[in-house]
Amino acid sequence: MDFRVLGPLEMLDKGRNVAPTAPKPRQVIALLIMRRNAVVQTNELIDELWEEGPPVSALTTLQTYVYKLRKILVRHGGKGLLHTRPGGYLLEIPNSSIDLHRVEGAATEGQAALEAGNPARARDILTQALYTWQAPALVDVDQGTLLSSYATRLEEFRSRILELRIEADLQLGHHRELVSELKSLVLTHPLHEHLHGSLMIALHRSGRRHEALEAFRVLRRNMIEDLGLEPGEELRQLHQALLGDSPVGPPFEARQTLRPTPAPPGAPVSAPHAEPAPAPADDVAHEPARQETPAPERIPPTTARAAPERHATPAPTPTPTSPVPVPAELPADTPDFTGRADALDEITAHLTPDEPHGNATRVVVIAGMPGVGKTALAVHLAHQLRHRFEDGQLHVELAGSSDAPRDIMDALHEVLHSLGVPRTHIPEGLEERSKLLRSTTASRRLLLVLDDASSLADVRPMLPGGPHCGVILTSRRRLHGLAGAQNVDLQVFACQEGLDLLASLIGRQRLEQESEAADRLVALCGGLPLALRCIGGRLAAMPGLPLARVADQLARSRDVIAELRLGELDVKSGFDAVYGRLSHTDRAAFRLLSMLPVDSFSTPTAAELLGREVPVVERVLQCLVNRYLLQVVHYDHDGMHYAYPSLTRRYARSRLDATLRRPARDGRSARGPHGDRSEHGRCAELDNAVTHSGGHAAVY
């Protein structure tokens, strides 16, 4: 296994991140990794997890976390890595398995090359080391006192590497390349003397002395207004040297604190350092048209905060006077989001791979039946990954399954405006807007969530143009045909996941007191997350209501689907929307097929019921499968076998019953000879309802 802490916490098994997603287990494994091959005391772990004061069950809870971590490690070939020791735990991993150790070796090698008078090699090595950082160290881990100290140390270490890399750049005479970087940094850090001194040097060496003097004037004004202080002596001496057009020598240049120069796409840019590096023994290389003379003492570092993390891109950096907006439009995350661990890991690995794969935008299609939790998963995932898409996160509701789907032209207009395109500059045509979107996003790291798409025609014009963009798409139908897209068929909850969701809504203790009734509720809800939320919300509103009573009411109900409603949560409306978009023939088949066996039925069986040829019925069945109204359960010599999901079958039967209750077209009653709704009457009504017009079975 490979462990990574320089950015998001990752535990990689054959390229797949298997790190736990729950916050506190992530804290535990992060601290064990940082203290690898050494015992971490139990009290240290407890203090890290519960700074405000540990609960009574802290030790037991910690043991549970360790047990789960050990299971993850064993499952992925890490048996024997996590040991229990007297008073604590020890994670035994080789140094070569952690990215920090590899970067430490690169830093040592780069510094040695620099001191040996080989700045070009030093710059290459140190630049590669800096690329290892995907974001601030342990960025997605909750940090207590211990982890915060480690994260701070790692950021200081990165600053040290950055300083060595800058020193190599200066020896190579790369002043002009640094100007735009430094201008952006001083805007973010208006009181950082060292950064301003670096900018003044770079501007002076680039033949822009007047701008260098202006940079000093702006810094001096800010310091006087905000701090009541003048710039330090070293910076004032640098200012006097520039006023006299005196050469600025190596002592200043060899100790600059800058961001790295523009790097290949995908490489993170590191933050400024907090402590200067020693100057090399030899002077920097001289350029033919430049004289080098000694300068005053170096500018001392300040304690300013690091600049925001940005990833370098091929496109030019926007100027400070016209900043590119960074939209953050994601809906609120679900506070009690439950389950889907495998899906989260799978999608995360696709959207944020360790190595870029080509120049295509990465797309994930999350599809499934109504109420299965597609939007909840997409939004939760987007929040987890937002730090990896720092140029913005957009959310567009396409409403493809509603009676009033979103116009794609309007959706494109909204997205372009969110990305900073003035409304007057947005073209009129669909193709022109799509091209502008691809151009605008070509060099950005943008995450786009397209919710409830009905077809690929809705999707293609909305796809960004950058290889570092990501798209999460949800739909109530299978959308095949997007090359390179990852398709995730979201299924209903297994029993344990359904119980976990109920427990998050009504409390674990109440659930365990009526465990048998809780199992029944999950089964009656078909494991559908939306249905479970309706039932859980009702139980949460009535703490004294027994779970068994609710389960009995659902079991006795003639229309379970109608019972699964709470406020704006409504299971039936989701099914109605999908059913309403079926063709007349497909709706008829959907109703009639609910009369077949519950466990499964084959294509020939369905063809016999519908009175149609097998190839025709196969197309109808495939349509229902693509709409997630049927599912393929297995194959045999008869071909595919199909079955309804539990709640879907109940919905289909309710539709069939409603159709049979309507008067027949020829005026015959569906009631028996005595006016009762007898079996004879039902059969007569079915005979009348099922007609064969040109061989098509239809229920009217």
Side-chain angles (χ1 to χ4, degrees), residues 203-244:
L203 288 169
H204 178 65
R205 291 297 181 202
S206 302
R208 299 158 68 176
R209 185 161 60 103
H210 66 289
E211 293 184 53
L213 294 171
E214 176 64 14
F216 177 84
R217 188 188 68 79
V218 171
L219 171 66
R220 181 174 181 272
R221 182 190 64 201
N222 291 339
M223 292 188 66
I224 291 174
E225 290 179 354
D226 295 348
L227 305 175
L229 298 173
E230 289 278 354
E233 177 64 24
E234 291 82 1
L235 200 61
R236 292 201 302 270
Q237 290 183 20
L238 174 60
H239 179 236
Q240 289 300 319
L242 295 178
L243 284 173

Side-chain angles (χ1 to χ4, degrees), residues 1-13 15-20 26 29-30 33 97-99 132 134 138 140-141 348-349 352-354 385 387-388:
M1 295 183 69
D2 193 51
F3 299 85
R4 300 186 179 182
V5 296
L6 303 181
L9 173 68
E10 293 181 333
M11 298 164 52
L12 300 177
D13 177 26
R16 180 188 176 194
N17 185 14
V18 298
R26 290 176 70 83
I29 192 63
I33 292 173
S97 296
I98 184 169
D99 56 354
T132 304
Q134 304 174 37
L138 300 174
D140 58 351
V141 178
T348 299
T352 57
D354 296 326
L385 298 180
H387 66 280
R388 305 286 287 270

Side-chain angles (χ1 to χ4, degrees), residues 258-269:
L258 315 175
R259 290 196 336 186
T261 53
V269 178

Side-chain angles (χ1 to χ4, degrees), residues 31-44:
L31 189 54
L32 290 171
I33 292 173
M34 294 307 301
R35 295 269 290 275
R36 61 194 182 281
N37 304 321
V39 175
V40 181
Q41 297 296 320
T42 302
N43 61 339
E44 292 179 299

Side-chain angles (χ1 to χ4, degrees), residues 11 29 59 129 156 162 197 204 228 231 308 404 407 410 423 484 515 521 559 561 665:
M11 298 164 52
I29 192 63
L59 182 58
E156 294 294 332
L162 174 60
H204 178 65
D407 184 84
D410 293 341
R423 295 187 186 276
S515 58
L521 284 175
D559 191 357
I561 301 291
R665 283 194 169 186

